[in-house]
Amino acid sequence: MLSAVMLRRINRLLIGLALLAAGAYIVTINPAPATLRLGSQSAYTASTGVLALILFCAGVLFATLASGWWTIRGLWRERRALARERQQIANMELIVRARGEIAAHEFTRAQSLLSGLVRRDPKNCLARIELSRTLEAAGDLKAALDVLDTARRDHPMVTEITLRAVHIQRALGNRIACLDLLDMLLISTVNSYILETARDLATELGDPKRALAYHARLVEVGYDRNRFEIERASLEFAVLRLGVSEIQGTYITPESANVQHDSTTWPQQVLQFIKRFPKCVPALIEAAKQSTVSGDPEGAAAFLTRAAQVSSDPHDWQAITQFWIDQQQPDKAVAVARTAGKPLHGLARAFSDLDLARVYMHFQMSEEAAEVLSE
């Protein structure tokens, strides 16, 4: 039997003979002369069959060369893509290694690894973010901010870079710069975290008018309606309290506002505000203060109780307890302390019992305090 190699050779020989026979046949049946003109001065005359064979062979040669060129180009492109993929895998492995060094508090090693990666690949967004984290953990906030500013110029649409810059600017105390960054971010990205952060920063700057503008946009992102109204009321009261200018963007800090409320109208304004927003905790606390000033401790306690019921904050209940302690009303102080602890469980209930025991001890009721602590 013939081997496979011999069969392939025989097949190639038969194909070659068939092509040669076909060429001879074409030349034989097309003996008439023909002229092929390639220009005004260039002309070739031969039989029609010969010219046909020449043109056919030229076409096959051109197709072979073109196919070979595109094949080589595709292979080169694939090779470069594989090299990029290998480089990306190596970069990710280096970033993971650097993160491990950060977790182990080896900040110098992590910084060395990431700095080298950034030098080799300046457009690597993740490397710059991790380098900023390393510098921040090492305590060099300004250098971390410089790294993020460079990354933000190359990748202006990456949300994490901008939020990292906001975090570091806030740590440096540059709240106005934080708001500028968040305003740029809100052009393309709107979510509750960004809006809440911008609102809180505006509040810290003493600009509740601007804070209200951010807060109003929370409705767009499905913010809880009840929580929205409570926080809106607090901001509205801050506007009333500080007398903020109607001009948008005006910064008035609590220290510089120096607003003197008319003592005859301010309590009425607070009460009218509470009618509009009955769950506004700051307004209720202010009303309690005004009631204390006017000599109405019962009214002050009522406002404080309403504030505590709205906020559910143990510190607000402690404030009411302390209020009755200051008024030398042990029965009412004990009653408030007991009321504060009723809905609580676990550790929160234990702290509430300690507060109740403290009230008993203040009024020298040691047996009652011991009974509470022994429960």
Side-chain angles (χ1 to χ4, degrees):
M1 295 179 64
L2 294 175
S3 65
V5 175
M6 288 298 295
L7 286 174
R8 283 198 297 270
R9 289 177 180 176
I10 293 172
N11 289 336
R12 289 173 185 171
L13 179 62
L14 292 175
I15 292 172
L17 291 174
L19 290 175
L20 183 62
Y25 175 74
I26 291 173
V27 170
T28 302
I29 65 173
N30 293 283
T35 302
L36 176 64
R37 297 185 181 278
L38 301 177
S40 59
Q41 302 296 327
S42 300
Y44 299 94
T45 302
S47 68
T48 305
V50 172
L51 287 177
L53 286 176
I54 293 173
L55 291 175
F56 174 76
C57 292
V60 170
L61 179 62
F62 177 78
T64 302
L65 292 175
S67 175
W69 164 252
W70 287 109
T71 301
I72 293 171
R73 186 175 179 182
L75 290 173
W76 180 252
R77 190 163 51 241
E78 184 179 357
R79 183 179 178 182
R80 285 187 299 174
L82 290 173
R84 281 197 302 269
E85 184 179 356
R86 285 194 296 269
Q87 186 62 47
Q88 289 174 356
I89 293 172
N91 291 346
M92 287 303 300
E93 290 176 350
L94 189 60
I95 289 173
V96 171
R97 181 182 167 191
R99 286 172 65 92
E101 298 289 358
I102 296 171
H105 287 222
E106 294 289 349
F107 303 123
T108 304
R109 292 182 186 176
Q111 184 178 343
S112 176
L113 290 171
L114 292 169
S115 297
L117 177 55
V118 168
R119 283 194 297 271
R120 292 193 301 273
D121 187 6
K123 299 293 184 181
N124 194 314
C125 174
L126 289 177
R128 290 191 180 276
I129 291 173
E130 293 303 324
L131 180 58
S132 75
R133 292 185 194 278
T134 305
L135 292 168
E136 181 191 4
D140 195 349
L141 295 180
K142 291 186 178 179
L145 188 60
D146 290 340
V147 170
L148 289 172
D149 287 340
T150 303
R152 198 155 46 84
R153 285 194 295 270
D154 294 334
H155 307 276
M157 303 304 293
V158 178
T159 303
E160 184 179 2
I161 295 175
T162 305
L163 289 177
R164 287 281 308 148
V166 169
H167 170 72
I168 294 177
Q169 289 281 20
R170 196 167 188 176
L172 291 169
N174 302 328
R175 289 176 290 188
I176 295 178
C178 290
L179 275 179
D180 292 340
L181 288 171
L182 290 173
D183 283 337
M184 288 189 293
L185 192 57
L186 285 169
I187 295 174
S188 59
T189 305
V190 179
N191 62 47
S192 59
Y193 173 77
I194 297 173
L195 289 170
E196 286 182 272
T197 303
R199 179 198 63 193
D200 294 343
L201 284 167
T203 303
E204 291 173 12
L205 287 167
D207 189 1
K209 196 78 174 180
R210 188 174 182 179
L212 269 173
Y214 291 123
H215 189 71
R217 295 184 64 183
L218 285 169
V219 177
E220 303 172 13
V221 294
Y223 202 67
D224 180 72
R225 192 69 191 182
N226 185 50
R227 183 181 172 191
F228 174 84
E229 292 298 336
I230 291 173
E231 292 170 352
R232 172 174 168 264
S234 298
L235 292 171
E236 292 277 6
F237 185 71
V239 173
L240 178 67
R241 188 187 197 92
L242 293 178
V244 176
S245 169
E246 291 294 327
I247 301 175
Q248 291 285 350
T250 302
Y251 294 104
I252 302 177
T253 62
E255 294 79 7
S256 64
N258 196 25
V259 177
Q260 298 294 330
H261 297 295
D262 187 342
S263 60
T264 60
T265 60
W266 175 241
Q268 285 78 13
Q269 291 178 356
V270 174
L271 293 175
Q272 290 173 1
F273 187 88
I274 290 173
K275 289 180 180 179
R276 289 176 55 209
F277 301 101
K279 293 184 178 181
C280 180
V281 173
L284 291 168
I285 292 174
E286 179 63 25
K289 292 179 180 178
Q290 296 300 323
S291 297
T292 303
V293 170
S294 63
D296 182 12
E298 296 288 343
F303 283 121
L304 289 174
T305 301
R306 288 174 60 183
Q309 290 172 342
V310 171
S311 67
S312 300
D313 188 344
H315 293 90
D316 290 334
W317 287 105
Q318 291 173 7
I320 305 171
T321 303
Q322 188 61 47
F323 174 82
W324 286 121
I325 289 174
D326 295 338
Q327 297 293 322
Q328 295 298 316
Q329 297 282 345
D331 294 340
K332 293 181 179 179
V334 169
V336 171
R338 285 190 176 279
T339 303
K342 285 181 179 179
L344 302 178
H345 301 280
L347 187 61
R349 179 58 183 268
F351 279 114
S352 178
D353 290 342
L354 285 174
D355 188 56
L356 177 58
R358 180 184 64 84
V359 175
Y360 279 130
M361 291 302 296
H362 179 84
F363 292 108
Q364 300 180 355
M365 304 167 68
S366 56
E367 292 182 5
E368 289 83 352
E371 183 180 351
V372 170
L373 295 175
S374 64
E375 292 179 355

Coordinates of all heavy atoms in Angstrom, one line a residue, residues 133-204:
R133 N -4.2 55.7 47.7 CA -4.6 55.1 49.0 C -3.4 54.8 49.9 O -3.4 55.0 51.1 CB -5.3 53.8 48.7 CG -6.7 53.9 48.1 CD -7.3 52.5 48.0 NE -8.4 52.5 47.1 CZ -9.7 52.9 47.4 NH1 -9.9 53.3 48.6 NH2 -10.7 52.8 46.5
T134 N -2.3 54.4 49.2 CA -1.0 54.1 49.9 C -0.5 55.4 50.6 O -0.1 55.4 51.8 CB 0.0 53.5 49.0 OG1 -0.5 52.4 48.3 CG2 1.3 53.1 49.7
L135 N -0.5 56.5 49.8 CA 0.1 57.8 50.3 C -0.8 58.3 51.4 O -0.4 58.8 52.4 CB 0.2 58.8 49.2 CG 1.2 58.4 48.1 CD1 1.1 59.3 46.9 CD2 2.6 58.6 48.7
E136 N -2.2 58.1 51.3 CA -3.1 58.5 52.3 C -2.8 57.7 53.6 O -2.8 58.3 54.7 CB -4.5 58.4 51.9 CG -5.5 58.8 52.9 CD -6.9 58.4 52.6 OE1 -7.2 57.7 51.6 OE2 -7.9 58.8 53.4
A137 N -2.7 56.4 53.5 CA -2.4 55.6 54.6 C -1.1 55.9 55.3 O -1.0 55.8 56.5 CB -2.5 54.1 54.2
A138 N -0.1 56.4 54.5 CA 1.1 56.8 55.1 C 1.1 58.2 55.7 O 2.1 58.6 56.2 CB 2.2 56.7 54.0
G139 N 0.0 58.9 55.5 CA -0.2 60.2 56.1 C 0.2 61.4 55.2 O 0.1 62.5 55.6
D140 N 0.5 61.1 53.9 CA 0.9 62.2 53.0 C -0.3 62.5 52.1 O -0.4 62.1 50.9 CB 2.1 61.7 52.1 CG 2.8 62.9 51.4 OD1 2.2 64.0 51.4 OD2 3.9 62.7 50.8
L141 N -1.2 63.3 52.7 CA -2.5 63.6 52.0 C -2.3 64.4 50.7 O -2.9 64.2 49.7 CB -3.4 64.3 52.9 CG -3.9 63.4 54.1 CD1 -4.9 64.2 55.0 CD2 -4.6 62.2 53.7
K142 N -1.4 65.4 50.8 CA -1.1 66.3 49.7 C -0.6 65.5 48.5 O -1.0 65.8 47.3 CB -0.2 67.4 50.0 CG -0.9 68.4 51.0 CD 0.0 69.6 51.3 CE -0.7 70.6 52.2 NZ 0.2 71.8 52.5
A143 N 0.4 64.6 48.7 CA 0.9 63.8 47.6 C -0.2 62.9 47.0 O -0.3 62.7 45.8 CB 2.1 63.0 48.1
A144 N -1.0 62.4 47.9 CA -2.2 61.5 47.4 C -3.1 62.3 46.5 O -3.6 61.9 45.5 CB -2.9 60.9 48.6
L145 N -3.3 63.6 46.9 CA -4.2 64.4 46.1 C -3.6 64.8 44.8 O -4.3 64.8 43.8 CB -4.5 65.7 46.9 CG -5.6 66.7 46.3 CD1 -6.9 65.9 46.2 CD2 -5.7 67.9 47.2
D146 N -2.3 65.0 44.8 CA -1.6 65.3 43.5 C -1.7 64.1 42.5 O -1.9 64.3 41.3 CB -0.1 65.6 43.8 CG 0.1 66.9 44.5 OD1 -0.8 67.7 44.4 OD2 1.2 67.1 45.1
V147 N -1.6 62.9 43.1 CA -1.7 61.7 42.2 C -3.1 61.6 41.6 O -3.3 61.3 40.4 CB -1.4 60.4 43.1 CG1 -1.8 59.1 42.3 CG2 0.1 60.4 43.4
L148 N -4.1 61.9 42.5 CA -5.5 61.8 42.0 C -5.8 62.9 41.0 O -6.5 62.7 40.0 CB -6.5 62.0 43.2 CG -6.5 60.8 44.1 CD1 -7.3 61.1 45.3 CD2 -7.1 59.5 43.4
D149 N -5.2 64.1 41.1 CA -5.4 65.2 40.2 C -4.9 64.8 38.8 O -5.5 65.1 37.8 CB -4.7 66.5 40.7 CG -5.5 67.1 41.8 OD1 -6.7 66.8 42.0 OD2 -4.9 67.9 42.6
T150 N -3.7 64.2 38.8 CA -3.1 63.7 37.5 C -4.0 62.6 36.9 O -4.3 62.7 35.7 CB -1.7 63.1 37.8 OG1 -0.9 64.1 38.4 CG2 -1.1 62.7 36.5
A151 N -4.5 61.7 37.7 CA -5.4 60.7 37.2 C -6.7 61.3 36.7 O -7.2 60.8 35.7 CB -5.7 59.7 38.3
R152 N -7.2 62.3 37.3 CA -8.5 62.9 36.9 C -8.3 63.6 35.6 O -9.3 63.7 34.8 CB -8.9 63.9 38.0 CG -10.4 64.3 38.0 CD -10.9 64.7 39.3 NE -10.0 65.6 40.0 CZ -10.0 66.9 39.8 NH1 -10.9 67.4 38.9 NH2 -9.2 67.7 40.4
R153 N -7.1 64.2 35.3 CA -6.9 64.8 34.0 C -7.0 63.8 32.9 O -7.4 64.0 31.8 CB -5.6 65.5 34.0 CG -5.6 66.9 34.8 CD -4.4 67.7 34.4 NE -3.1 67.1 34.9 CZ -2.6 67.3 36.1 NH1 -3.2 68.1 36.9 NH2 -1.5 66.7 36.4
D154 N -6.4 62.6 33.2 CA -6.4 61.5 32.1 C -7.7 60.8 32.0 O -8.1 60.3 31.0 CB -5.3 60.5 32.4 CG -3.9 61.1 32.3 OD1 -3.8 62.1 31.5 OD2 -3.0 60.6 33.0
H155 N -8.4 60.7 33.2 CA -9.7 59.9 33.2 C -10.8 60.8 33.9 O -11.2 60.5 35.1 CB -9.5 58.6 34.0 CG -8.4 57.8 33.5 ND1 -8.5 56.9 32.4 CD2 -7.1 57.7 33.9 CE1 -7.4 56.3 32.2 NE2 -6.5 56.8 33.1
P156 N -11.3 61.8 33.2 CA -12.2 62.8 33.9 C -13.6 62.1 34.2 O -14.3 62.7 35.0 CB -12.3 63.9 32.9 CG -12.0 63.3 31.6 CD -11.0 62.2 31.9
M157 N -13.9 61.0 33.6 CA -15.2 60.4 33.8 C -15.3 59.3 34.8 O -16.3 58.7 35.0 CB -15.8 59.9 32.4 CG -15.9 61.0 31.4 SD -16.8 62.4 31.9 CE -18.5 61.7 32.0
V158 N -14.1 59.0 35.4 CA -14.1 57.9 36.4 C -14.6 58.4 37.8 O -13.9 59.3 38.4 CB -12.7 57.3 36.5 CG1 -12.6 56.2 37.6 CG2 -12.2 56.7 35.2
T159 N -15.7 57.9 38.2 CA -16.3 58.4 39.4 C -15.4 58.2 40.7 O -15.3 59.1 41.5 CB -17.7 57.8 39.6 OG1 -18.5 58.0 38.5 CG2 -18.4 58.3 40.9
E160 N -14.8 57.1 40.7 CA -14.0 56.7 41.9 C -12.9 57.7 42.2 O -12.6 58.1 43.3 CB -13.4 55.3 41.8 CG -12.7 54.9 43.1 CD -12.2 53.5 43.0 OE1 -12.3 52.8 41.9 OE2 -11.6 53.0 44.0
I161 N -12.2 58.2 41.1 CA -11.1 59.1 41.2 C -11.6 60.4 41.9 O -11.0 61.0 42.8 CB -10.5 59.4 39.9 CG1 -9.8 58.1 39.3 CG2 -9.5 60.5 40.0 CD1 -9.3 58.3 37.9
T162 N -12.8 60.9 41.4 CA -13.3 62.2 41.9 C -13.7 62.0 43.4 O -13.5 62.9 44.2 CB -14.5 62.6 41.0 OG1 -14.1 62.7 39.7 CG2 -15.0 64.0 41.5
L163 N -14.4 60.9 43.7 CA -14.8 60.7 45.1 C -13.7 60.5 46.0 O -13.7 61.0 47.2 CB -15.8 59.5 45.1 CG -17.1 59.7 44.5 CD1 -17.9 58.4 44.6 CD2 -17.9 60.8 45.2
R164 N -12.6 59.9 45.5 CA -11.4 59.8 46.3 C -10.8 61.2 46.6 O -10.3 61.5 47.7 CB -10.3 58.9 45.6 CG -10.6 57.5 45.6 CD -10.3 56.8 46.9 NE -8.9 57.1 47.3 CZ -8.5 57.2 48.6 NH1 -9.4 57.0 49.6 NH2 -7.3 57.5 48.9
A165 N -10.8 62.0 45.5 CA -10.3 63.4 45.7 C -11.2 64.2 46.7 O -10.6 65.0 47.5 CB -10.3 64.1 44.4
V166 N -12.5 64.0 46.7 CA -13.4 64.6 47.6 C -13.0 64.2 49.0 O -13.0 65.0 50.0 CB -14.9 64.3 47.3 CG1 -15.8 64.7 48.4 CG2 -15.3 65.0 46.0
H167 N -12.8 62.9 49.2 CA -12.5 62.3 50.5 C -11.2 63.0 51.1 O -11.2 63.4 52.3 CB -12.3 60.8 50.4 CG -11.7 60.2 51.6 ND1 -12.5 60.0 52.8 CD2 -10.5 59.7 51.9 CE1 -11.7 59.4 53.7 NE2 -10.5 59.2 53.2
I168 N -10.2 63.1 50.3 CA -8.9 63.7 50.7 C -9.1 65.2 51.0 O -8.5 65.7 52.0 CB -7.8 63.3 49.8 CG1 -7.6 61.8 49.8 CG2 -6.5 64.1 50.1 CD1 -6.5 61.3 48.8
Q169 N -9.7 65.9 50.1 CA -10.0 67.3 50.3 C -10.7 67.6 51.6 O -10.4 68.5 52.3 CB -10.7 67.9 49.1 CG -10.0 68.0 47.8 CD -9.0 69.2 47.7 OE1 -8.7 69.8 48.8 NE2 -8.6 69.6 46.5
R170 N -11.7 66.7 51.9 CA -12.4 66.9 53.1 C -11.5 66.6 54.3 O -11.6 67.3 55.3 CB -13.6 65.9 53.1 CG -14.7 66.3 54.2 CD -15.9 65.5 53.9 NE -17.0 65.9 54.8 CZ -18.2 65.5 54.7 NH1 -18.6 64.5 53.8 NH2 -19.2 65.9 55.5
A171 N -10.6 65.7 54.2 CA -9.7 65.4 55.3 C -8.7 66.6 55.5 O -8.3 66.9 56.6 CB -8.9 64.1 55.0
L172 N -8.4 67.3 54.4 CA -7.6 68.5 54.5 C -8.3 69.7 54.9 O -7.7 70.8 55.1 CB -6.9 68.7 53.1 CG -5.8 67.7 52.7 CD1 -5.5 67.9 51.2 CD2 -4.6 67.8 53.6
G173 N -9.7 69.6 55.0 CA -10.5 70.7 55.4 C -10.9 71.7 54.3 O -11.4 72.7 54.6
N174 N -10.7 71.2 53.1 CA -11.0 72.1 51.9 C -12.5 71.8 51.4 O -12.7 71.1 50.4 CB -10.0 71.9 50.8 CG -8.6 72.2 51.2 OD1 -8.4 73.0 52.0 ND2 -7.7 71.4 50.6
R175 N -13.4 72.2 52.2 CA -14.8 71.9 51.9 C -15.4 72.5 50.7 O -16.2 71.9 49.9 CB -15.7 72.2 53.1 CG -15.4 71.3 54.3 CD -16.2 71.7 55.5 NE -15.8 72.9 56.1 CZ -16.2 73.4 57.3 NH1 -17.1 72.8 58.0 NH2 -15.7 74.5 57.7
I176 N -14.9 73.7 50.4 CA -15.4 74.4 49.1 C -14.9 73.6 47.9 O -15.6 73.4 46.9 CB -14.9 75.9 49.1 CG1 -15.6 76.6 50.3 CG2 -15.3 76.5 47.8 CD1 -15.2 78.1 50.4
A177 N -13.6 73.2 48.0 CA -13.1 72.4 46.9 C -13.8 71.1 46.7 O -14.1 70.6 45.6 CB -11.6 72.1 47.1
C178 N -14.2 70.5 47.8 CA -15.1 69.3 47.8 C -16.4 69.5 47.0 O -16.8 68.7 46.2 CB -15.4 68.8 49.2 SG -14.0 68.1 50.1
L179 N -17.0 70.6 47.3 CA -18.3 70.9 46.7 C -18.1 71.2 45.2 O -18.9 70.8 44.3 CB -18.9 72.2 47.3 CG -19.8 71.9 48.5 CD1 -20.3 73.2 49.1 CD2 -20.9 71.0 48.3
D180 N -17.0 71.8 44.8 CA -16.7 72.1 43.4 C -16.5 70.7 42.7 O -17.0 70.5 41.5 CB -15.4 72.9 43.2 CG -15.6 74.3 43.7 OD1 -16.8 74.8 43.8 OD2 -14.6 75.0 44.0
L181 N -15.8 69.8 43.3 CA -15.6 68.5 42.7 C -16.9 67.7 42.5 O -17.2 67.1 41.5 CB -14.6 67.6 43.5 CG -13.2 68.1 43.5 CD1 -12.4 67.3 44.5 CD2 -12.6 67.8 42.1
L182 N -17.8 67.8 43.6 CA -19.1 67.1 43.5 C -20.0 67.7 42.5 O -20.7 67.0 41.8 CB -19.7 67.2 44.9 CG -19.0 66.3 46.0 CD1 -19.6 66.6 47.4 CD2 -19.1 64.8 45.7
D183 N -19.9 69.1 42.3 CA -20.7 69.7 41.3 C -20.3 69.2 39.9 O -21.2 69.0 39.1 CB -20.6 71.2 41.4 CG -21.4 71.8 42.5 OD1 -22.3 71.2 43.0 OD2 -21.0 72.9 43.0
M184 N -19.0 69.0 39.7 CA -18.6 68.5 38.4 C -19.1 67.1 38.2 O -19.5 66.7 37.1 CB -17.1 68.6 38.3 CG -16.5 70.0 38.1 SD -14.8 70.0 37.7 CE -14.1 69.5 39.3
L185 N -19.0 66.3 39.3 CA -19.4 64.9 39.2 C -20.9 64.8 39.0 O -21.4 63.9 38.3 CB -19.1 64.2 40.5 CG -19.1 62.7 40.5 CD1 -18.3 62.1 39.4 CD2 -18.7 62.2 41.9
L186 N -21.7 65.7 39.5 CA -23.2 65.6 39.4 C -23.6 65.9 38.0 O -24.8 65.7 37.6 CB -23.8 66.6 40.4 CG -23.9 66.1 41.8 CD1 -24.3 67.3 42.8 CD2 -24.8 64.9 42.0
I187 N -22.8 66.5 37.1 CA -23.1 66.7 35.8 C -23.4 65.4 35.0 O -24.3 65.3 34.2 CB -22.0 67.5 35.0 CG1 -21.9 68.9 35.7 CG2 -22.3 67.6 33.6 CD1 -20.7 69.7 35.1
S188 N -22.6 64.4 35.4 CA -22.7 63.1 34.7 C -23.3 62.0 35.5 O -23.8 61.0 35.0 CB -21.3 62.7 34.1 OG -20.4 62.6 35.2
T189 N -23.1 62.1 36.9 CA -23.5 61.0 37.8 C -24.3 61.6 38.9 O -23.9 62.5 39.6 CB -22.3 60.3 38.4 OG1 -21.4 59.8 37.3 CG2 -22.7 59.1 39.2
V190 N -25.5 61.0 39.1 CA -26.4 61.5 40.1 C -26.9 60.3 41.0 O -27.5 59.4 40.4 CB -27.7 62.2 39.6 CG1 -28.6 62.7 40.7 CG2 -27.3 63.4 38.7
N191 N -26.5 60.3 42.2 CA -27.0 59.2 43.1 C -27.1 59.8 44.5 O -26.6 60.9 44.8 CB -26.1 58.0 43.1 CG -24.7 58.3 43.6 OD1 -24.4 58.9 44.6 ND2 -23.7 57.7 42.8
S192 N -27.7 59.1 45.4 CA -28.0 59.6 46.8 C -26.8 59.9 47.6 O -26.7 60.9 48.3 CB -28.9 58.6 47.5 OG -28.3 57.4 47.7
Y193 N -25.7 59.1 47.4 CA -24.5 59.3 48.2 C -23.8 60.6 47.8 O -23.5 61.4 48.7 CB -23.5 58.2 48.0 CG -22.2 58.4 48.6 CD1 -22.0 58.3 50.0 CD2 -21.1 58.9 47.8 CE1 -20.7 58.5 50.6 CE2 -19.8 59.1 48.4 CZ -19.7 58.9 49.8 OH -18.5 59.2 50.4
I194 N -23.7 60.9 46.5 CA -23.1 62.2 46.1 C -23.9 63.4 46.6 O -23.4 64.4 47.1 CB -22.9 62.2 44.6 CG1 -22.0 61.1 44.2 CG2 -22.4 63.5 44.1 CD1 -21.9 60.9 42.7
L195 N -25.3 63.3 46.4 CA -26.1 64.4 46.8 C -26.1 64.6 48.3 O -26.1 65.8 48.8 CB -27.5 64.1 46.3 CG -27.7 64.3 44.8 CD1 -29.1 63.7 44.4 CD2 -27.6 65.7 44.3
E196 N -26.1 63.5 49.1 CA -26.1 63.7 50.5 C -24.8 64.3 51.0 O -24.7 65.1 51.9 CB -26.3 62.3 51.2 CG -27.7 61.8 51.2 CD -27.9 60.5 51.9 OE1 -27.7 59.4 51.3 OE2 -28.2 60.5 53.1
T197 N -23.7 63.8 50.4 CA -22.4 64.4 50.7 C -22.3 65.9 50.4 O -21.8 66.7 51.2 CB -21.2 63.6 50.0 OG1 -21.3 62.2 50.2 CG2 -19.9 64.1 50.4
A198 N -22.8 66.3 49.2 CA -22.8 67.7 48.9 C -23.7 68.5 49.8 O -23.3 69.6 50.2 CB -23.3 67.8 47.4
R199 N -24.8 67.9 50.2 CA -25.7 68.6 51.1 C -25.1 68.8 52.5 O -25.2 69.9 53.0 CB -27.0 67.8 51.2 CG -28.1 68.4 52.2 CD -29.0 67.3 52.6 NE -28.4 66.2 53.3 CZ -29.0 65.0 53.6 NH1 -30.2 64.8 53.2 NH2 -28.3 64.1 54.3
D200 N -24.4 67.8 53.0 CA -23.8 67.9 54.3 C -22.7 68.9 54.3 O -22.5 69.6 55.2 CB -23.3 66.5 54.7 CG -24.4 65.5 55.0 OD1 -25.6 65.9 55.1 OD2 -24.2 64.3 55.0
L201 N -21.9 68.9 53.2 CA -20.8 69.9 53.1 C -21.3 71.3 53.0 O -20.8 72.2 53.7 CB -20.0 69.6 51.8 CG -19.0 68.4 51.9 CD1 -18.5 68.0 50.5 CD2 -17.9 68.7 52.8
A202 N -22.4 71.5 52.3 CA -23.0 72.8 52.2 C -23.5 73.2 53.6 O -23.4 74.4 54.0 CB -24.1 72.9 51.2
T203 N -24.1 72.3 54.3 CA -24.6 72.6 55.7 C -23.4 72.9 56.6 O -23.5 73.9 57.4 CB -25.3 71.4 56.3 OG1 -26.4 71.0 55.4 CG2 -25.9 71.7 57.6
E204 N -22.3 72.2 56.5 CA -21.1 72.5 57.3 C -20.6 73.9 57.0 O -20.0 74.6 57.9 CB -20.0 71.5 57.1 CG -20.4 70.1 57.6 CD -19.3 69.0 57.2 OE1 -18.3 69.4 56.7 OE2 -19.6 67.8 57.4

